[in-house]
């Protein structure tokens, strides 16, 4: 099991660290929850904002058990309503996989042709000669996909399209390819189309190009949401809405109604609705993080909700507003406890009722001075009566104009500059924007683990493996390594646990292999 911690520090720099990489004895939710709690206790972490996991049933149980434990310890922020974050990349994988179940036989023909050529060095050399014959000077080679990874299917098709003319030339040189496609069954067994798929036709290449273009959208999206060193939470909901509208467009389009892409989109829509069909199935933080992007706020959230859910959009938007008010109120209370009652009074929203009473009392004392005092007292009363209620930070933030869209816009830099104006909202943004919407950061650690646990080092103890994996990740992640001589004050603060105001978001990923 690998656990990574994600947070935004006081300088508005995003961090990711592996804090656990250890073997587990059971994949039961309760057992995994206990292992995670042990890790948190070892690190002294008691402010957990969210936990991002893959969409496995045991993970649902794990998060529920953790929520119960946090509640008992009094550290379950907002009663754990937004604790469970589902990996967006994993959901996209499930959605696309369902769509490819109805893919045309064209994909199978390309897959089988690629497999035939790659089976023999002599065939690969002959294929390279065909490339030279059709004036294709390309150092790239054909790649074969893995059936359980749709992104590898996309890469295979995308590469094969570059060599479309080469395949035609190759068939003329090697009659064995045509025979293999038409008569030879794969040893792997038959799929839904059968393993004897027939020769590659021009229509097959048209279908493959359509599917590759279709998959590229999801390939680019998956890469975009899989980052761990930049903010991804703010675009989570908008990306979901973009996919929803795209699938809806393909399904409802008259000219594509019976087309291959229409059938793929229909299949994908069923899986999409399972996870994102209603707002109740979504973590509320995906809306809040979008609102905390000064380019979007409720203008974008309201529009996206209406595009996805039609007439229910405005009602759902009001629900998001209510939840954000509650969340903001919790931060006001939390910071009030941490910084004392004096700071609490400056953070809390208030009306002018108290101010009015103070002004009226001061006015009455001024009135005793004479006629000038009477005028000033009346003026102060008039001002108090015509002054509106003081706005909270959240209200001020939402009332301001949205920032202009820009490719170079840095949301963390914006909050760093504006945090003095919105101190409470800034604390909220630091927690919400740190949420990773995919578990790729943790999954990558297993690749590292595989390099460490090679055949020559298989005798390493689990504790030593954890040390190597974590230490490597921390060294690579720290752009400013600590100098013991120069940063003694920083080390003392860390040792005394003073730097513990930040809520941590976790990614937990379990490898069953």
């Amino acid at each position: 099991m690998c656990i990574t911690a994600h947070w935004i520090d006081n300088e508005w720099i995003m961090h990711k660290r592996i804090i656990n990489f250890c073997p587990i004895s059971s994949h039961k939710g309760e057992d995994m929850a206990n292992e995670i709690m042990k890790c948190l206790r070892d690190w002294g972490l008691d402010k957990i904002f969210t936990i991002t996991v893959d969409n496995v049933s045991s993970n649902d149980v794990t998060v529920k058990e953790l929520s119960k434990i946090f509640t008992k310890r009094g550290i379950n922020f907002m009663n754990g309503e937004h604790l469970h974050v589902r990996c967006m990349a994993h959901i996209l994988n499930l959605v696309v996989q369902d769509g490819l179940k109805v893919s045309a036989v064209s994909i199978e023909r390309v897959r089988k042709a690629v497999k035939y050529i790659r089976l023999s060095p002599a065939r690969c050399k002959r294929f390279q000669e065909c490339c030279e014959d059709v004036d294709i000077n390309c150092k790239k080679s054909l790649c074969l996909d893995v059936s359980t990874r749709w992104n590898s299917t996309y890469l295979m098709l995308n590469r094969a399209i570059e060599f479309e003319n080469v395949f035609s030339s190759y068939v003329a040189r090697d009659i064995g390819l045509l025979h293999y496609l038409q008569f030879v069954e794969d040893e792997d067994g038959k799929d839904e189309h059968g393993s004897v798929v027939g020769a590659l036709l021009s229509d097959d290449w048209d279908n493959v190009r359509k599917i590759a273009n279709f998959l590229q959208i999801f390939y680019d999206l998956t890469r975009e949401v899989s980052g761990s060193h930049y903010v991804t939470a703010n675009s989570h909901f908008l990306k979901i809405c973009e996919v929803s509208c795209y699938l809806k467009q393909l399904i409802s389009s008259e000219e594509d109604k019976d087309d291959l892409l229409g059938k793929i989109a229909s299949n994908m829509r069923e899986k999409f609705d399972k996870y994102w069909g209603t707002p109740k199935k979504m973590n509320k933080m995906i809306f809040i993080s979008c609102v905390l992007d000064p380019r979007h706020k409720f203008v974008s959230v309201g529009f996206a909700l209406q595009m996805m859910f039609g007439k229910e959009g405005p009602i759902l938007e009001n629900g998001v507003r209510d939840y954000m008010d509650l969340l903001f109120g919790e931060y006001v209370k939390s910071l009030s406890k941490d910084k004392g009652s004096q700071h609490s009074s400056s953070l809390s929203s208030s009306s002018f009722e108290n101010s009015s009473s103070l002004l009226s009392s001061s006015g009455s004392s001024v009135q005793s001075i004479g006629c000038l005092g009477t005028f000033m007292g009346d003026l102060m009363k008039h001002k108090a009566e015509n002054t509106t209620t003081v706005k909270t930070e959240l209200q001020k933030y939402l009332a301001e104009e949205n920032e202009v869209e820009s490719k170079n816009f840095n949301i963390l830099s914006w909050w760093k500059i504006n945090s003095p104006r919105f101190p409470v909202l800034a604390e909220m943004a630091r927690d919400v924007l740190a949420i990773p919407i995919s578990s790729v950061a943790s999954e990558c650690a297993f690749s590292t683990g595989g390099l460490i646990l090679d055949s020559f080092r298989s005798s390493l103890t689990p504790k030593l493996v954890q040390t190597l994996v974590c230490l490597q990740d921390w060294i690579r992640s720290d752009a400013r390594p600590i100098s013991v001589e120069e940063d003694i004050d920083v080390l003392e603060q860390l040792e005394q646990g003073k730097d513990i105001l930040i809520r941590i978001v976790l990614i937990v990923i379990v490898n069953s292999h």
Side-chain angles (χ1 to χ4, degrees):
M1 179 170 65
C2 179
I3 303 177
T4 55
H6 302 249
W7 74 96
I8 297 171
D9 65 15
N10 291 322
E11 295 300 319
W12 291 91
I13 298 173
M14 198 160 188
H15 296 273
K16 182 273 294 184
R17 298 288 189 278
I18 296 176
I19 61 173
N20 201 11
F21 187 83
C22 64
I24 56 174
S25 58
S26 168
H27 285 80
K28 292 182 179 179
E30 296 85 352
D31 296 331
M32 288 195 292
N34 291 331
E35 288 288 341
I36 295 170
M37 281 306 304
K38 182 179 181 299
C39 172
L40 298 180
R41 283 194 297 268
D42 290 343
W43 280 93
L45 297 175
D46 59 357
K47 293 187 177 182
I48 307 301
F49 193 67
T50 60
I51 301 176
T52 303
V53 290
D54 281 350
N55 302 291
V56 183
S57 56
S58 59
N59 285 338
D60 296 343
V61 178
T62 300
V63 177
K64 287 179 181 178
E65 289 298 317
L66 287 171
S67 184
K68 292 177 183 177
I69 296 172
F70 292 161
T71 300
K72 289 179 181 178
R73 296 180 60 185
I75 58 173
N76 204 9
F77 193 64
M78 293 288 288
N79 296 319
E81 289 188 39
H82 57 259
L83 185 65
H84 189 181
V85 177
R86 298 181 183 275
C87 173
M88 183 179 183
H90 192 227
I91 294 176
L92 282 175
N93 179 56
L94 296 175
V95 169
V96 177
Q97 287 282 14
D98 269 30
L100 292 182
K101 288 178 180 178
V102 294
S103 60
V105 70
S106 304
I107 294 180
E108 197 61 32
R109 287 173 178 168
V110 170
R111 178 182 289 120
K112 202 170 179 183
V114 170
K115 183 177 180 180
Y116 174 82
I117 294 171
R118 284 172 55 89
L119 278 174
S120 164
R123 295 171 189 169
C124 291
K125 184 178 179 181
R126 193 176 297 124
F127 188 83
Q128 190 63 38
E129 292 172 355
C130 292
C131 290
E132 296 173 2
D133 290 345
V134 295
D135 295 327
I136 293 181
N137 185 15
C138 184
K139 295 182 180 179
K140 300 177 183 177
S141 59
L142 296 173
C143 58
L144 189 63
D145 69 334
V146 179
S147 58
T148 56
R149 294 175 54 198
W150 70 267
N151 54 330
S152 67
T153 302
Y154 161 74
L155 294 173
M156 178 190 71
L157 297 179
N158 212 33
R159 182 67 56 80
I161 290 170
E162 298 179 32
F163 297 105
E164 178 182 349
N165 294 332
V166 182
F167 276 98
S168 301
S169 176
Y170 186 89
V171 170
R173 288 194 176 197
D174 186 355
I175 195 66
L177 173 59
L178 188 61
H179 180 270
Y180 182 75
L181 292 174
Q182 291 181 327
F183 304 109
V184 179
E185 294 186 1
D186 279 343
E187 295 179 359
D188 299 336
K190 296 184 178 182
D191 63 356
E192 59 183 305
H193 300 293
S195 50
V196 176
V197 292
L200 269 167
L201 306 174
S202 58
D203 289 344
D204 293 323
W205 290 109
D206 292 337
N207 289 334
V208 165
R209 272 190 291 272
K210 282 184 182 180
I211 295 170
N213 290 333
F214 177 76
L215 292 180
Q216 183 177 359
I217 297 170
F218 296 94
Y219 181 79
D220 294 339
L221 178 57
T222 300
R223 293 187 63 182
E224 185 177 344
V225 303
S226 298
S228 58
H229 296 290
Y230 55 87
V231 177
T232 55
N234 60 324
S235 61
H236 192 177
F237 177 53
L238 298 183
K239 295 299 181 184
I240 290 174
C241 184
E242 190 176 8
V243 172
S244 174
C245 293
Y246 181 56
L247 294 179
K248 191 183 298 183
Q249 180 183 355
L250 287 176
I251 294 170
S252 61
S253 175
E254 286 294 332
E255 89 181 74
D256 286 338
K257 191 171 183 181
D258 297 321
D259 192 68
L260 172 65
L261 295 185
K263 295 176 182 178
I264 292 176
S266 296
N267 246 36
M268 292 173 67
R269 186 73 204 193
E270 291 182 17
K271 183 67 76 174
F272 179 94
D273 289 340
K274 178 181 178 181
Y275 293 102
W276 295 321
T278 64
K280 292 181 180 179
K281 297 180 179 180
M282 303 182 197
N283 189 307
K284 294 181 176 66
M285 284 301 116
I286 74 172
F287 308 113
I288 304 300
S289 58
C290 187
V291 176
L292 289 173
D293 189 327
R295 296 169 297 176
H296 299 305
K297 302 182 183 178
F298 274 106
V299 175
S300 297
V301 171
F303 177 79
L305 285 170
Q306 193 166 358
M307 290 296 292
M308 280 190 71
F309 306 108
K311 295 179 180 179
E312 296 181 17
I315 300 173
L316 299 172
E317 181 184 344
N318 289 334
V320 176
R321 287 181 182 273
D322 292 341
Y323 188 78
M324 191 161 191
D325 287 337
L326 289 173
L327 186 64
F328 179 75
E330 288 295 320
Y331 273 87
V332 171
K333 293 177 185 177
S334 178
L335 291 176
S336 298
K337 292 178 182 178
D338 291 337
K339 299 184 179 180
S341 58
Q342 183 178 355
H343 187 58
S344 168
S345 60
S346 65
L347 295 177
S348 301
S349 61
S350 61
S351 66
F352 252 74
E353 294 175 358
N354 294 334
S355 301
S356 303
S357 61
L358 289 173
L359 288 172
S360 61
S361 61
S362 61
S364 61
S365 62
V366 174
Q367 286 176 10
S368 61
I369 298 175
C371 59
L372 288 177
T374 303
F375 169 76
M376 293 303 296
D378 293 340
L379 177 60
M380 295 172 78
K381 287 181 179 179
H382 175 75
K383 287 169 66 178
E385 291 171 357
N386 288 275
T387 302
T388 56
T389 302
V390 176
K391 291 182 177 180
T392 63
E393 284 181 26
L394 178 58
Q395 291 169 334
K396 290 177 182 178
Y397 167 76
L398 295 176
E400 292 183 357
E401 290 186 7
N402 289 12
E403 292 291 327
V404 179
E405 288 280 354
S406 170
K407 289 184 178 180
N408 298 323
F409 182 81
N410 188 321
I411 188 171
L412 294 184
S413 296
W414 189 93
W415 275 107
K416 182 178 181 179
I417 294 170
N418 290 275
S419 57
R421 296 198 300 126
F422 307 113
V424 180
L425 208 57
E427 290 298 316
M428 183 171 156
R430 285 171 68 201
D431 293 339
V432 174
L433 296 178
I435 299 173
I437 60 176
S438 82
S439 59
V440 173
S442 288
E443 290 175 355
C444 290
F446 289 105
S447 300
T448 305
L451 294 174
I452 293 173
L453 283 173
D454 59 18
S455 57
F456 299 100
R457 298 183 179 180
S458 58
S459 60
L460 292 179
T461 64
K463 192 68 177 178
L464 186 54
V465 174
Q466 179 180 3
T467 303
L468 291 171
V469 172
C470 292
L471 185 59
Q472 176 183 252
D473 179 71
W474 281 62
I475 291 174
R476 287 179 175 177
S477 300
D478 197 350
R480 297 171 297 177
I482 292 177
S483 168
V484 176
E485 293 81 8
E486 297 177 3
D487 299 319
I488 193 68
D489 292 337
V490 176
L491 291 172
E492 287 180 358
Q493 287 182 5
L494 291 173
E495 187 175 348
Q496 295 172 9
K498 292 180 180 178
D499 190 21
I500 207 168
L501 291 175
I502 302 170
R503 284 186 178 82
I504 302 292
V505 292
L506 299 179
I507 291 183
V508 180
I509 187 75
V510 177
N511 191 349
S512 58
H513 300 292

